[in-house]
Amino acid sequence: MTTNENASAPASTAHRRLGTTGPAVFPLGLGCMGMSALYGDADRAESLATIHAALDAGVTLLDTGDFYGMGHNELLIGEALRTAPAAAREQALTSVKFGALRTVEGGFAGYDGRPDAVRNFLAYSLQRLGRDHIDIYRIARVDPDVPIEETVGAIAEAVRAGHVRHIGLSEVGADTLRRAAAVAPIADLQIEYSLISRGIEDEILPTARELGIGVTAYGVLSRGLISGHFSRDRELSPGDFRGMSPRFQGDNLDRNLDLVDALRKVADEKGVSVAQTAIAWVLSRGSDIVPLVGARRRDRLTEALGAMDVTLSAADLAAIEDAVPAGSASGERYPAAQMAHLDSEH
């Protein structure tokens, strides 16, 4: 599949297949992390209502991690699925990341990709979700002490046992992608991809396409930075990840919001929102890419879904990329300690 196969065509609700072996899913997935962790307090009732609204709109892919709120997010999704209409519950697909080790205080203590750990994490996730299988299962970050072949092999065993439907990967580089794909079919690679995070275009995305692996793109609004809703004077609550994210600090924030101001001019000319423009741009990158939107509220979900109605012409795409050129972001996408865990950055 090629980038921007038909730039002048509007996005649609036609499902996109995750790679050559993965499931067909609604063009947008719902990233549920913010309902439990890293962005300050969330309203539980509104979170559940947002998941239900997403399912009602046709969204099929619900993305989570077993370490989001130390299991809270999986329990939340499990409750949402139990209380959803049967038809919506049956269409829902769960995408789960595992492997992150946590402390009582909420800190991170590395990653565990040993086969025994894979089986252990999986058992707990199935219980919390209230499901007999997980649709796509992936380690959140490569364990540097365990060959990726062993971790993927353990997930492949779970596939054969019926506990997992498809194998995914997260934030891995091209070489690791090839090694993993040599062990078992890989449905998709989950990785950050947005107007201001385009590093995958050089090597990782072409390799995924060569191997028939889809992409679920997270951070399409860069944690709200390019949503059009983030202001220079916004005060973040304690524990909000953005309080230590380099792109939200000092001069970096000012320069990045200057990019958003430029993008807003393009969006205003089209009569759509900044967020819709940014999401539509990711949708335009190819039918093998499924953006994950991290909406925690129904109004934000509605806005995100509206991106599928945005038509981007070749001229529109040129204007967007003039406003936010590749490589123009100020600051790394994670603090240095977390960047070190990204196989995709090495």
Side-chain angles (χ1 to χ4, degrees):
M1 298 181 185
T2 58
T3 298
N4 190 25
E5 294 173 21
N6 191 349
S8 63
S12 73
T13 56
H15 283 201
R16 297 181 168 200
R17 185 166 296 282
L18 293 180
T20 56
T21 64
V25 300
F26 191 79
L28 294 179
L30 182 63
C32 300
M33 180 187 76
M35 298 176 181
S36 298
L38 297 180
Y39 294 131
D41 293 337
D43 183 302
R44 183 180 185 84
E46 182 62 24
S47 295
L48 290 168
T50 300
I51 296 173
H52 286 160
L55 294 172
D56 185 60
V59 172
T60 53
L61 190 64
L62 303 178
D63 184 77
T64 185
D66 63 9
F67 50 93
Y68 293 163
M70 277 76 94
H72 178 278
N73 205 237
E74 289 181 319
L75 289 168
L76 183 76
I77 291 172
E79 180 178 348
L81 292 175
R82 282 196 310 275
T83 54
R89 182 167 58 249
E90 290 167 5
Q91 76 177 8
L93 303 176
T94 52
S95 168
V96 178
K97 290 176 291 297
F98 69 89
L101 304 176
R102 304 298 301 271
T103 67
V104 173
E105 295 75 21
F108 286 85
Y111 297 90
D112 193 344
R114 295 172 301 129
D116 281 346
V118 174
R119 291 184 280 270
N120 178 77
F121 288 128
L122 176 59
Y124 279 88
S125 286
L126 291 171
Q127 178 70 23
R128 285 188 290 255
L129 288 165
R131 311 274 277 186
D132 63 4
H133 71 276
I134 289 170
D135 294 285
I136 311 172
Y137 202 50
R138 69 188 88 239
I139 190 166
R141 300 287 186 265
V142 174
D143 182 342
D145 298 322
V146 178
I148 193 65
E149 291 86 350
E150 293 185 17
T151 303
V152 169
I155 305 174
E157 289 179 5
V159 172
R160 291 191 290 273
H163 303 311
V164 170
R165 293 286 188 266
H166 304 280
I167 304 171
L169 294 168
S170 174
E171 285 289 356
V172 304
D175 289 344
T176 303
L177 203 57
R178 292 186 187 281
R179 289 169 51 199
V183 175
I186 306 297
D188 74 314
L189 167 65
Q190 187 173 122
I191 196 163
E192 186 166 356
Y193 187 39
S194 72
L195 272 168
I196 64 171
S197 296
R198 297 179 61 176
I200 71 169
E201 293 176 345
D202 295 335
E203 185 178 10
I204 295 173
L205 183 55
T207 300
R209 286 177 164 153
E210 174 194 335
L211 297 171
I213 296 171
V215 169
T216 42
Y218 76 88
V220 293
L221 297 179
S222 196
R223 299 164 183 82
L225 181 59
I226 60 171
S227 67
H229 302 299
F230 201 92
S231 62
R232 287 173 169 81
D233 58 356
R234 179 169 174 176
E235 292 188 11
L236 299 173
S237 59
D240 191 314
F241 165 82
R242 293 168 293 192
M244 60 179 181
S245 172
R247 289 184 175 174
F248 288 83
Q249 308 304 311
D251 291 342
N252 285 347
L253 178 61
D254 287 336
R255 288 192 289 268
N256 290 330
L257 289 180
D258 285 343
L259 297 175
V260 177
D261 289 340
L263 183 62
R264 193 186 307 276
K265 294 178 181 177
V266 180
D268 286 347
E269 289 181 1
K270 288 194 64 65
V272 299
S273 74
V274 174
Q276 288 169 339
T277 305
I279 296 168
W281 180 86
V282 178
L283 281 165
S284 78
R285 299 298 86 194
S287 60
D288 53 349
I289 297 175
V290 174
L292 299 173
V293 295
R296 300 195 293 172
R297 299 177 353 211
R298 283 168 287 180
D299 59 338
R300 294 287 194 253
L301 172 67
T302 298
E303 180 183 25
L305 291 171
M308 296 190 300
D309 297 323
V310 176
T311 300
L312 295 179
S313 67
D316 291 332
L317 290 168
I320 290 169
E321 296 188 18
D322 281 344
V324 187
S328 59
S330 294
E332 297 285 1
R333 53 198 183 98
Y334 286 98
Q338 294 182 37
M339 288 292 289
H341 288 295
L342 297 177
D343 182 79
S344 55
E345 295 287 341
H346 302 306

